């Protein structure tokens, strides 16, 4: 069993920055690929970024490349998402998720089996 809890969301002006954190329970955090997704009002949940178990490979949606950075601290069982140059279209609920492993793709929701409750990010223009 894994429990994920996001934090760090809030209201920020366009051009500002936020850093999201995702605290994971369990002793095997360092074994999992991890990802961030987001869901804007009235839209489907979409992939934002992912990182492999050791942190050596990262993946990003085109819409956030160059602005967002995913990272992890396995000693602290924590996943991060640094978000810079925020835009109003980044407004969404952001979710962290644990990869299900076994070769499952980590740029699709199907590749994840545990999800946090989400944290709201609102970017004002």
């Amino acid at each position: 069993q894994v429990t994920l809890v996001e934090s760090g969301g809030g209201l920020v002006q366009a051009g500002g920055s936020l850093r999201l954190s995702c605290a994971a329970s369990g002793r095997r955090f360092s074994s999992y690929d991890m990802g961030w997704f987001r869901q804007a009002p009235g839209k489907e949940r979409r992939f934002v970024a992912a990182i492999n178990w050791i942190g050596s490979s990262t993946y990003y949606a085109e819409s956030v490349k160059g602005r967002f950075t995913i990272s992890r601290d396995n000693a602290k069982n924590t996943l991060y998402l640094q978000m810079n140059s925020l835009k109003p279209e980044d407004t969404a609920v952001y979710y962290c998720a644990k990869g299900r492993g076994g070769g499952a793709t980590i740029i699709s929701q199907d590749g994840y089996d545990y999800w946090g409750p989400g944290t709201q990010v609102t970017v004002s223009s």
Side-chain angles (χ1 to χ4, degrees):
Q1 186 74 14
V2 174
T3 302
L4 304 173
V5 180
E6 303 93 340
S7 62
L11 174 64
V12 64
Q13 288 189 335
S17 299
L18 283 175
R19 187 175 83 153
L20 305 183
S21 298
C22 172
S25 66
R27 296 178 295 174
R28 296 187 60 199
F29 176 78
S30 60
S31 301
Y32 311 138
D33 298 334
M34 296 291 295
W36 287 99
F37 288 74
R38 67 186 181 186
Q39 187 168 20
K43 296 187 177 180
E44 294 182 352
R45 188 159 56 185
R46 293 191 173 183
F47 170 75
V48 174
I51 188 167
N52 71 342
W53 64 279
I54 199 173
S56 60
S57 296
T58 56
Y59 311 85
Y60 296 94
E62 285 296 326
S63 59
V64 306
K65 275 184 180 178
R67 300 188 298 123
F68 290 11
T69 302
I70 188 171
S71 62
R72 65 191 299 162
D73 185 336
N74 286 342
K76 296 182 178 179
N77 281 14
T78 304
L79 176 73
Y80 302 101
L81 185 68
Q82 178 66 43
M83 306 186 295
N84 298 329
S85 302
L86 283 161
K87 304 175 181 180
E89 51 264 44
D90 294 318
T91 294
V93 177
Y94 284 70
Y95 301 90
C96 68
K98 168 195 162 292
R100 66 173 70 247
T105 178
I106 58 173
I107 61 171
S108 167
Q109 294 187 69
D110 293 341
Y112 296 85
D113 53 7
Y114 287 92
W115 297 80
T119 186
Q120 176 71 47
V121 172
T122 303
V123 184
S124 63
S125 58

